Amino acid sequence: MWYVFAGMGTQWHGMGRSMMELDTFRESILRSDAILQPLGISLYDLLMNGEESAFQNTINSFVGIAAIQVSSLIS
């Protein structure tokens, strides 16, 4: 078990990408992605393909950080 407690401003390009290799982490991210899709947010695309500038958007930063924290706790 590991804990990831990031705060606003600690996000970086590619954050969480390597953790997608972990089945439980990836499944959690995909569940969060499905929930966020109707709101126009593609979490999977943000984490896997997002440009560095994408994290200048507060919503993207918050969603990315929160989803990674939740997925890390589940894993």
Side-chain angles (χ1 to χ4, degrees):
M1 176 183 290
W2 19 281
Y3 298 95
V4 177
F5 292 104
M8 292 302 291
T10 61
Q11 67 281 351
W12 64 88
H13 184 240
M15 185 170 109
R17 189 177 299 154
S18 62
M19 291 169 41
M20 292 293 279
E21 295 176 17
L22 303 170
D23 291 337
T24 308
F25 180 86
R26 183 178 57 256
E27 290 167 9
S28 178
I29 291 292
L30 293 175
R31 282 193 306 270
S32 295
D33 180 69
I35 292 167
L36 294 167
Q37 286 288 329
L39 301 172
I41 300 171
S42 177
L43 175 61
Y44 179 84
D45 188 52
L46 178 65
L47 295 180
M48 298 302 290
N49 306 312
E51 298 293 323
E52 190 168 348
S53 61
F55 291 102
Q56 292 175 0
N57 177 311
T58 305
I59 297 294
N60 291 342
S61 294
F62 177 78
V63 166
I65 290 169
I68 287 173
Q69 288 176 340
V70 168
S71 297
S72 297
L73 290 173
I74 291 172
S75 298

